[in-house]
Amino acid sequence: MESGHVHAPNFILGHALISVCLFLGGLYCNELDTSASLLNSALIGISYLATLFASIALYRLVFHRLTRARFPEPIFARLTKLWHVWACRRSKNHLILAELNRKYGDFVRTALMQYENTTLKYIDQLDCCIKADAVAHRFSEATDLFYWLGFDTMGEFVFDKSFGMLRNQQWHYIVLLLQRALSLLGPFSPAPWLVQVGFKLLPRVGILRDWFDMVAWCEKQMRETIEAPNDNIREPDVAQPTASALVGIFYELARNPDHAQKIHDGLQSLDVHDAKLLSKLPHLDGCIAEALRLYPALPTGGNRKTPEQGVLIGGRYIPPQTTVVAPPVFHLTP
């Protein structure tokens, strides 16, 4: 099933063809002169498009499910995505999104569709797991719990179903395959061509087999999701960054209980389900930002190529087409 925007050229050409047919029909069938036939086809087209766009606007402004759910949004976001195109005309989308976050909070409707916040139900499941450990007088495996939270949430977004790890309190086998497969990134990230050689020559050997099994499973799930009769929005993988961030945050809070107490005190008078209110807690926001600096969600850093003319970084010239990377040690400098 292809997305509707793929067919946009066909829609435009189809309407143009119908307009030409109306013009020629008036010219030859109704024996109208050229100007009369052109006016007639124009009036029909304008009437049709005005009715079509009016009905679309009414639906989006009043009856759309995100409108009824009262998502915070710029008013033009209800009508069309073109407002976002115009706002980004100077290629400053990151500034646009930052301003929207500042003005409307963490959940902002910027288009006609957006994902629903299903994270809270998995946070409730996490809370139940921790309470069960407390009642049983045993330590909670916080790292496991945070990864289960991240992957269960991601599964809901991407595949429209959870991995069920928090509910079953055990790892899903495909996530274990993924973690074993991703272990290749550590030693081989400096020479990724070695991994490609392994993929081509030894696709079913050792860890490489885990990778292909994981990809095949994901492809099967995505096909089932695409073919399912629903219109849910799919989101990219949020599991690994979420889990890594939570591990780092709670590790530092455990080492610094005074900061944990300040956050706890700030939450007492707030609805913890209101993300907009939570975003206004300066100490909570500061702790999250500092933990992300100390424990970046993408620890390896992204490789980039310098441009054809080279680049000057920190007073040092880097030649053209040189691979550069910002390692996470840079984040450890206050």
Side-chain angles (χ1 to χ4, degrees):
M1 180 179 63
E2 293 182 331
S3 179
H5 67 265
V6 176
H7 301 290
N10 295 333
F11 296 154
I12 295 174
L13 291 175
H15 282 79
L17 180 60
I18 292 173
S19 299
V20 171
C21 291
L22 287 172
F23 171 74
L24 294 177
L27 196 62
Y28 294 104
C29 297
N30 297 334
E31 298 182 350
L32 300 175
D33 58 34
T34 301
S35 59
S37 181
L38 185 61
L39 178 61
N40 184 61
S41 59
L43 288 175
I44 293 175
I46 292 173
S47 300
Y48 163 75
L49 292 176
T51 304
L52 175 65
F53 289 133
S55 63
I56 292 174
L58 179 64
Y59 169 74
R60 292 174 177 175
L61 286 171
V62 180
F63 300 106
H64 193 279
R65 62 179 179 275
L66 294 183
T67 302
R68 290 186 281 112
R70 299 183 183 279
F71 268 75
E73 62 192 344
I75 185 63
F76 291 111
R78 297 186 187 184
L79 291 172
T80 175
K81 186 64 175 175
L82 294 178
W83 81 271
H84 202 168
V85 175
W86 173 255
C88 298
R89 63 191 181 278
R90 295 187 177 88
S91 301
K92 301 291 184 181
N93 188 44
H94 60 292
L95 298 179
I96 301 298
L97 296 179
E99 175 60 19
L100 290 174
N101 176 258
R102 184 195 66 78
K103 186 175 181 180
Y104 296 102
D106 289 337
F107 293 89
V108 184
R109 180 183 177 186
T110 63
L112 304 179
M113 304 291 289
Q114 186 65 293
Y115 67 84
E116 296 179 1
N117 180 18
T118 59
T119 306
L120 289 177
K121 72 176 182 180
Y122 295 110
I123 293 177
D124 290 337
Q125 291 182 17
L126 173 67
D127 185 51
C128 290
C129 291
I130 296 174
K131 287 180 178 178
D133 288 336
V135 170
H137 302 287
R138 61 173 178 261
F139 292 107
S140 294
E141 293 289 345
T143 300
D144 287 353
L145 292 176
F146 291 149
Y147 272 89
W148 294 350
L149 170 67
F151 277 101
D152 279 356
T153 305
M154 184 269 289
E156 182 81 23
F157 287 156
V158 179
F159 302 127
D160 199 27
K161 57 185 176 183
S162 165
F163 286 96
M165 291 190 288
L166 281 173
R167 182 180 64 252
N168 301 324
Q169 298 193 38
Q170 63 180 12
W171 288 89
H172 193 284
Y173 80 96
I174 205 65
V175 177
L176 294 177
L177 286 183
L178 171 64
Q179 291 188 327
R180 286 201 294 267
L182 290 179
S183 66
L184 292 169
L185 297 179
F188 293 112
S189 57
W193 58 270
L194 287 174
V195 179
Q196 296 301 319
V197 171
F199 282 165
K200 295 297 183 182
L201 300 182
L202 304 168
R204 308 302 297 178
V205 176
I207 295 177
L208 295 176
R209 179 178 59 191
D210 295 338
W211 174 266
F212 283 99
D213 289 345
M214 181 270 298
V215 170
W217 183 89
C218 290
E219 181 179 357
K220 178 176 179 292
Q221 298 302 313
M222 289 303 298
R223 290 187 180 278
E224 292 178 356
T225 301
I226 291 172
E227 294 170 0
N230 60 55
D231 56 354
N232 290 334
I233 299 304
R234 308 298 168 208
E235 290 294 312
D237 184 357
V238 297
Q240 198 81 9
T242 299
S244 300
L246 287 173
V247 170
I249 291 168
F250 278 86
Y251 171 71
E252 289 298 331
L253 289 178
R255 296 179 61 197
N256 300 276
D258 53 326
H259 291 287
Q261 186 62 47
K262 288 181 181 180
I263 294 174
H264 180 269
D265 294 342
L267 293 171
Q268 295 309 299
S269 60
L270 297 180
D271 178 7
V272 295
H273 297 88
D274 190 332
K276 193 170 184 177
L277 291 177
L278 293 178
S279 67
K280 297 179 180 179
L281 294 176
H283 201 77
L284 173 61
D285 187 65
C287 287
I288 293 173
E290 179 65 4
L292 289 174
R293 182 184 68 83
L294 294 171
Y295 310 99
L298 301 176
T300 57
N303 295 341
R304 294 293 185 270
K305 290 280 189 180
T306 56
E308 293 294 338
Q309 66 273 21
V311 65
L312 192 67
I313 301 177
R316 181 179 292 273
Y317 175 73
I318 309 297
Q321 296 302 306
T322 301
T323 300
V324 295
V325 59
V329 67
F330 289 171
H331 298 282
L332 301 180
T333 303

